[in-house]
């Protein structure tokens, strides 16, 4: 009976959790001003006191994988932009941040 109850999460889809829609991440809200660099706080969610640690982890390790922290986001190559989202062994990336 729990599988068919509207008020019980047991039978809910594990992906959408019963809402029927999957909410994604809007990259334009995460990085609204692509004229800024990572160093200049282009990534909105990494601006707060507690969340700055994500930005600092990238900044402190950027030289290990040649990531341009002072280059505006719009000037990053597709590979660099993808790396910002996926991360590597030195920093988590935006996908891990939102997970």
């Amino acid at each position: 009976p729990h599988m068919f109850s509207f008020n019980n999460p047991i039978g809910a889809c594990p992906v959408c959790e019963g809402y029927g829609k999957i909410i994604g991440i809007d990259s334009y809200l995460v990085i609204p001003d692509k004229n800024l660099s990572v160093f200049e706080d282009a990534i909105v969610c990494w601006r707060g006191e507690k969340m700055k640690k994500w930005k600092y982890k990238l900044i402190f390790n950027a030289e290990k994988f040649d990531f341009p922290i002072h280059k505006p986001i719009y000037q990053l190559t597709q590979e660099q932009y993808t790396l910002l989202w996926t991360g590597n062994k030195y920093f988590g990336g935006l996908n891990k941040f939102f997970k």
Side-chain angles (χ1 to χ4, degrees):
H2 295 293
M3 297 291 277
F4 300 103
S5 172
F6 72 93
N7 201 21
N8 195 321
I10 292 175
C13 167
V15 177
C16 72
E17 298 177 344
Y19 290 106
K21 293 184 180 179
I22 299 171
I23 300 171
I25 300 166
D26 188 345
S27 64
Y28 295 105
L29 294 176
V30 176
I31 310 172
D33 187 356
K34 299 210 181 335
N35 293 312
L36 297 175
S37 67
V38 169
F39 190 80
E40 297 171 317
D41 286 331
I43 302 167
V44 173
C45 53
W46 290 355
R47 289 182 185 170
E49 276 303 310
K50 292 185 178 188
M51 300 306 162
K52 279 186 180 179
K53 66 180 181 180
W54 289 81
K55 175 182 132 179
Y56 290 145
K57 183 130 184 171
L58 170 57
I59 289 172
F60 293 139
N61 291 303
E63 68 182 43
K64 295 176 184 171
F65 51 96
D66 197 31
F67 187 85
I69 58 170
H70 294 290
K71 188 183 273 191
I73 299 295
Y74 80 90
Q75 290 182 352
L76 296 178
T77 65
Q78 184 59 46
E79 181 180 297
Q80 292 166 338
Y81 187 76
T82 302
L83 180 66
L84 188 60
W85 283 89
T86 59
N88 60 21
K89 66 180 181 178
Y90 299 108
F91 83 105
L94 286 165
N95 290 335
K96 187 173 181 181
F97 173 82
F98 284 111
K99 197 172 259 187

